[in-house]
Amino acid sequence: QVQLIESGGGLVQAGGSLRLSCTMSGRTFTNYAMGWFRQAPGKEREFVARISRSSTYYTDSVAGRFTISRDNGANTVYLQMNMLTPKDTAVYFCAADRTFISEQYTRENVYDYWGQGTQVTVSS
């Protein structure tokens, strides 16, 4: 019954911007911290960003370029991505965490539900 549906991926040139969206249904959105992960070809899935009720966290490689936010009225979490580079090319996944264990927020197993992923490709 629970669904996380991502949208907004696509092909952009280096230096461009994209905004990813992820909408939850089937659960009470405000009970979950939300995260974004990504997986590039040949690499393991890595943490990108997380938002709880108000606090945000970013991996060092995106800090200052990406912004995570949420609209509780729309049951949606966003990832605004600016100054994109080819190194940002990956499949991006949103994930929902019902435990709010911030000490482990970079770990995949913290998250209970996952979206199907959306492809982001940045050309040089």
Side-chain angles (χ1 to χ4, degrees):
Q1 184 177 4
V2 62
Q3 287 187 298
L4 295 175
I5 301 178
E6 301 103 332
S7 62
L11 174 64
V12 298
Q13 295 182 354
S17 299
L18 283 174
R19 189 180 75 161
L20 306 183
S21 300
C22 174
T23 299
M24 169 181 275
S25 62
R27 295 291 186 273
T28 302
F29 182 71
T30 52
N31 288 344
Y32 293 83
M34 301 297 296
W36 287 96
F37 288 72
R38 66 186 181 186
Q39 187 166 22
K43 296 184 178 180
E44 296 183 351
R45 191 174 301 182
E46 66 173 344
F47 167 79
V48 176
R50 174 184 171 97
I51 184 168
S52 56
R53 295 176 179 86
S54 60
S55 299
T56 59
Y57 309 87
Y58 300 92
T59 193
D60 288 345
S61 62
V62 309
R65 299 188 297 120
F66 291 11
T67 302
I68 188 170
S69 62
R70 64 192 296 160
D71 182 346
N72 290 332
N75 292 347
T76 300
V77 62
Y78 303 96
L79 186 67
Q80 178 67 47
M81 305 185 294
N82 299 326
M83 300 179 65
L84 286 162
T85 78
K87 293 182 179 180
D88 297 314
T89 294
V91 177
Y92 284 71
F93 301 87
C94 71
D97 169 27
R98 64 189 174 190
T99 67
F100 289 88
I101 302 174
S102 61
E103 292 83 358
Q104 298 176 306
Y105 63 81
T106 64
R107 300 290 186 178
E108 294 179 39
N109 60 10
V110 166
Y111 298 84
D112 302 284
Y113 303 108
W114 291 82
Q116 81 288 347
T118 185
Q119 177 71 48
V120 172
T121 302
V122 184
S123 64
S124 60

